[in-house]
Amino acid sequence: MSWETVIGLEIHVQLSTQSKIFSGSSTAFGAEPNSQASLVDLAMPGTLPVTNLEAIRKAVKFGLAIDAQIAKRSVFERKNYFYPDLPKGYQTTQLAEPIVGAGAVEIQLEDGTRKTVRIHHAHLEEDAGKSLHEAFFDENGHGMTGIDLNRAGTPLIEIVTEPDMRSAEEAVAFARKLHSLVTSIGICDGHMAQGSMRFDVNVSVRKKGDDTLGTRTETKNLNSFKFMEAAIKLEVERQIDLIEDGGKVVQETRLYNGDTHTARSMRSKEDANDYRYFPCPDLLPVIITDEDIEALRAELPELPDARQARFIDQYGLSDYDAGILAGDRAVADYFEAVVTASGDAKLSANWVTGDVAARLNAADIGIDQCPVSAVHLGQMIQRILDGTISSKIAKQVFDACWNGEGSPDQVIEARGLKQMSDSGELEKIIDQVIHDNTAQAEAFRAADEGKQKKMFGFFVGQVMKLTQGKANPQQVNALLQERLK
């Protein structure tokens, strides 16, 4: 039987404000547990919340970036439920009148096709605290849960999509695009490992051609693209197997463990009326004027799609390279700084998307922590272009710069890596190679053109071996072709 997957996402985006959404407590990451939770965050008697204007501004900027409707009037409500890391016993959020209405985000898939994912709405809310289960035990060795309330009250926008995605790959493409968007406009730092973006994935399956939605499950708190893709594929497989075996999918909330690649049921899925929403009596409605909206629109920086189009037009990059470089604002800024230093956009793009990206991934760090500055990478590319070093030697130079051995010029000088371009010296070495390999030289001369192409690499390799890879490859090829006639 043929099945179709239906996916919708709910994305919690932590807004990069210095203080919380309803109090002056710090939102800085990494503080001692429970050191950044004020009496307001805990809703102690006699305290009153005050809405953070910067959180409102950042939410509106997101709405403008996706060409969404901006509500002139939005209202905060209380969502009532019990959980150990929810100190108030309710969450202040938005339901009936969210700040951002319907919008859309266009994604590009690996095969080059484009698809529009509709945004149902985005609403402002406060985050809960964090439950820690790993390192807490009583004197009898029984597991306990620790509660850190530092995150309680941190401002979020929750972005809710329509069920428009049909595969894990589409969902990840959308998630990456959204990450690019919120970091580009400066409303979120994008540090997913720190919880700055968390994805709840709603998955259902139905028979191909059926318009009726199947029963969905929600897998919560996925904070990496890799885990999201794996969790979706695992849940799709589970639902199909369950239905084909005669069972039924139950609407529930699930958790995914990336270390063990397993998922489990967490609780039955609630509906909105289970939370007893009602307007927050302590907060006035948020009123936004046309002047406010236009002022914020004027503050928007270059968006990822516009930056990608500019990279194609300005630098002559392929759509693929431009998409990779434009997708992350910090990477885009680094790339442009490399181009300024090197004067060659294509070679700069190759290095940034190739060796630099690979090393960053291996070290699990961002471009802002790259040990090789954009200026130094541009300088190294200049040395390739002016013939000082070969592309092969450049990899050694890059590694040395990465390990803190100095600038490219200092590394080249200290290690004696300058490319050998003296024709007279190269001619002597090539003559020696041919003399030492007379049989191979004669076989080469007697061979047809097709075989010669295969045999030519042997002589190049011998020259490079004798010169320790420093010979200019173009000169070596030209001189060998002349000597082997």
Side-chain angles (χ1 to χ4, degrees):
M1 185 178 294
S2 186
W3 296 93
E4 181 179 54
T5 302
V6 179
I7 302 168
L9 299 180
E10 298 169 26
I11 307 98
H12 295 87
V13 176
Q14 192 175 100
L15 301 177
S16 54
T17 57
Q18 293 184 352
S19 59
K20 295 184 179 180
I21 190 169
F22 301 122
S23 80
S25 301
S26 172
T27 58
F29 180 81
E32 285 294 314
N34 300 305
S35 63
Q36 294 178 173
S38 71
L39 296 178
V40 175
D41 303 324
L42 304 179
M44 297 299 287
T47 61
L48 282 174
V50 178
T51 305
N52 186 332
L53 176 60
E54 189 59 25
I56 295 171
R57 288 166 50 85
K58 290 182 184 298
V60 173
K61 282 186 176 181
F62 171 75
L64 294 172
I66 64 168
D67 198 26
Q69 302 166 7
I70 306 299
K72 302 292 182 63
R73 179 184 188 273
S74 61
V75 174
F76 285 106
E77 299 178 76
R78 290 185 179 180
K79 178 182 181 181
N80 297 273
Y81 66 97
F82 170 78
Y83 208 70
D85 58 18
L86 189 71
K88 298 177 178 180
Y90 63 85
Q91 179 188 35
T92 306
T93 182
Q94 295 181 323
L95 177 68
E97 298 181 71
I99 193 167
V100 175
V105 173
E106 186 180 69
I107 60 174
Q108 183 172 348
L109 305 176
E110 288 188 1
D111 62 4
T113 59
R114 293 181 179 274
K115 178 172 184 172
T116 297
V117 176
R118 294 170 297 158
I119 304 297
H120 183 274
H121 76 274
H123 60 265
L124 276 164
E125 65 183 22
E126 62 182 341
D127 208 346
K130 186 176 183 180
S131 297
L132 306 169
H133 308 289
E134 293 81 14
F136 297 91
F137 301 91
D138 63 17
E139 63 276 9
N140 298 316
H142 297 137
M144 300 188 298
T145 294
I147 304 296
D148 181 5
L149 297 177
N150 281 349
R151 202 170 67 185
T154 297
L156 304 174
I157 53 171
E158 180 174 345
I159 303 160
V160 181
T161 78
E162 299 286 4
D164 288 344
M165 290 153 279
R166 296 293 176 265
S167 68
E169 291 75 18
E170 286 187 12
V172 170
F174 172 82
R176 289 185 182 279
K177 182 64 173 288
L178 196 67
H179 183 275
S180 170
L181 192 63
V182 298
T183 54
S184 288
I185 63 178
I187 69 169
C188 176
D189 61 28
H191 295 153
M192 295 173 65
Q194 297 178 6
S196 294
M197 284 187 73
R198 307 191 299 276
F199 300 88
D200 297 345
V201 181
N202 293 288
V203 176
S204 64
V205 297
R206 62 187 178 189
K207 296 177 183 178
K208 280 262 186 173
D210 192 345
D211 292 332
T212 304
L213 292 174
T215 301
R216 65 185 173 90
T217 63
E218 179 185 41
T219 302
K220 292 188 71 68
N221 290 329
L222 299 165
N223 67 347
S224 84
F225 303 127
K226 178 182 177 181
F227 288 168
M228 177 194 289
E229 183 172 7
I232 292 172
K233 289 181 176 179
L234 185 65
E235 178 59 14
V236 169
E237 182 180 356
R238 185 190 74 87
Q239 290 190 20
I240 292 173
D241 287 345
L242 183 62
I243 296 170
E244 291 185 343
D245 287 342
K248 290 184 178 181
V249 176
V250 177
Q251 184 171 317
E252 62 181 352
T253 298
R254 300 179 63 81
L255 293 177
Y256 174 78
N257 186 321
D259 294 329
T260 60
H261 187 49
T262 58
R264 64 177 177 86
S265 178
M266 179 185 181
R267 60 173 180 259
S268 60
K269 177 66 178 173
E270 301 89 348
D271 293 316
N273 56 8
D274 294 320
Y275 292 112
R276 305 187 321 279
Y277 282 90
F278 63 86
C280 179
D282 294 335
L283 291 165
L284 293 170
V286 176
I287 306 300
I288 301 171
T289 66
D290 289 333
E291 291 75 16
D292 295 329
I293 292 172
E294 291 311 310
L296 291 169
R297 193 190 306 276
E299 292 180 10
L300 284 178
E302 185 178 41
L303 299 180
D305 286 350
R307 186 160 54 231
Q308 180 178 356
R310 177 170 65 83
F311 280 8
I312 294 171
D313 181 61
Q314 181 176 344
Y315 298 119
L317 300 181
S318 68
D319 188 53
Y320 177 79
D321 284 347
I324 291 177
L325 294 167
D328 185 304
R329 185 176 180 179
V331 172
D333 290 344
Y334 181 90
F335 161 71
E336 293 206 88
V338 175
V339 175
T340 299
S342 70
D344 190 296
K346 183 58 181 173
L347 205 50
S348 297
N350 290 345
W351 273 92
V352 175
T353 60
D355 291 68
V356 173
R359 291 298 292 269
L360 293 175
N361 288 337
D364 195 25
I365 58 176
I367 195 75
D368 56 325
Q369 298 171 283
C370 183
V372 182
S373 70
V375 171
H376 280 171
L377 183 61
Q379 184 185 92
M380 189 195 75
I381 291 171
Q382 280 187 323
R383 297 299 165 260
I384 298 173
L385 295 170
D386 65 20
T388 302
I389 57 175
S390 66
S391 296
K392 184 176 180 180
I393 294 296
K395 294 184 180 296
Q396 296 182 38
V397 176
F398 178 78
D399 286 344
C401 291
W402 182 279
N403 293 326
E405 294 183 27
S407 70
D409 285 345
Q410 290 170 333
V411 170
I412 292 167
E413 186 65 32
R415 292 194 175 193
L417 296 176
K418 283 186 178 180
Q419 188 166 247
M420 184 184 296
S421 299
D422 185 307
S423 297
E425 190 173 356
L426 280 176
E427 286 175 355
K428 292 178 183 178
I429 293 172
I430 288 171
D431 286 342
Q432 179 185 337
V433 167
I434 294 174
H435 178 269
D436 292 345
N437 298 276
T438 305
Q440 288 90 337
E442 291 302 320
F444 177 88
R445 294 185 178 107
D448 58 34
E449 185 176 345
K451 289 184 179 180
Q452 284 185 343
K453 288 182 179 180
K454 296 179 181 179
M455 299 168 69
F456 191 74
F458 166 79
F459 297 99
V460 173
Q462 293 299 308
V463 174
M464 289 301 180
K465 183 177 179 181
L466 288 177
T467 61
Q468 296 181 316
K470 297 178 185 177
N472 186 309
Q474 288 78 23
Q475 285 185 285
V476 170
N477 287 345
L479 290 170
L480 273 172
Q481 287 171 353
E482 181 180 325
R483 289 293 198 276
L484 288 169
K485 287 181 179 178

